[in-house]
Amino acid sequence: KAASVKQENLVSLMQVDMLQLSVTQTQLDNLCLQSTLIIGFTLSILSGETLKPLVDDSEQSCIWKSTMALAFGHILFYMIATCVGCCIVSICLISYLKQHSQEAALTVSTGAAAAITRRHIHLVNTLFVTAMICFSIAAAFLVILFVGFPKRHHYGGPITDDNDVEGLVEMPD
């Protein structure tokens, strides 16, 4: 009878460990999906409608027209690269963790597989949070570049009596 109870306890522990491993893998699946979505959103910042006005010197929001806009542009592109890099590393690490935790559950023990997976999920969470912060900063800098800076006006030369000054409003100091 004692051997039977011991066997039931071992089976129960194995089921609990498998449930913990299943929950952890569900968390990893969610992080993988969210990382994939963040990569898509981040790369959409570099689409033609967004990238062309930032680098074309004939556009009013070109980053090459002022030092401040150039600095903001550099930060924008650095944040995009960091975000995409963190997401790609996160997705690769998640794939590796899922494959090896399932293999370890079958060959070693379910408890060890669940513990090792839980230990490494912190790194995946850190990478994902870093990617989210970089994405948020990139989105904010994109808005600043397009909306926050004053619109650049075409300089038509100094105003003289010969120039048409109709419609000009004097700005207070």
Side-chain angles (χ1 to χ4, degrees):
K1 181 164 176 144
S4 170
V5 170
K6 184 177 179 181
Q7 184 66 24
E8 287 177 18
N9 285 342
L10 288 174
V11 169
S12 295
L13 285 174
M14 186 181 74
Q15 288 174 343
V16 168
D17 290 338
M18 285 302 291
L19 183 61
Q20 289 176 345
L21 185 61
S22 175
V23 167
T24 305
Q25 287 193 344
T26 301
Q27 291 173 343
L28 289 173
D29 285 339
N30 291 338
L31 286 172
C32 188
L33 175 66
Q34 292 170 1
S35 293
T36 305
L37 290 172
I38 293 300
I39 286 176
F41 290 139
T42 304
L43 290 178
S44 71
I45 290 175
L46 296 176
S47 67
E49 296 87 19
T50 307
L51 189 59
K52 185 182 180 304
L54 290 177
V55 295
D56 186 7
D57 61 353
S58 66
E59 296 287 336
Q60 62 184 352
S61 56
C62 177
I63 61 173
W64 304 110
K65 289 188 176 181
S66 75
T67 307
M68 181 70 79
L70 184 61
F72 276 55
H74 280 285
I75 293 171
L76 170 72
F77 294 127
Y78 177 75
M79 288 296 133
I80 289 172
T82 304
C83 178
V84 170
C86 285
C87 284
I88 289 173
V89 170
S90 175
I91 290 169
C92 291
L93 185 59
I94 288 169
S95 296
Y96 177 81
L97 278 174
K98 286 186 68 177
Q99 289 174 357
H100 287 281
S101 67
Q102 290 172 355
E103 181 182 333
L106 293 173
T107 59
V108 181
S109 76
T110 54
I116 290 172
T117 307
R118 276 194 311 270
R119 185 178 69 179
H120 291 296
I121 200 167
H122 176 70
L123 176 61
V124 175
N125 280 329
T126 302
L127 285 168
F128 179 72
V129 168
T130 303
M132 284 297 297
I133 290 170
C134 289
F135 174 72
S136 300
I137 292 171
F141 274 78
L142 183 69
V143 169
I144 289 170
L145 283 169
F146 276 105
V147 178
F149 285 126
K151 299 292 183 193
R152 289 152 179 89
H153 301 285
H154 177 70
Y155 179 68
I159 297 177
T160 62
D161 291 337
D162 298 343
N163 292 351
D164 183 19
V165 293
E166 186 177 317
L168 288 179
V169 177
E170 186 175 321
M171 298 298 290
D173 291 332

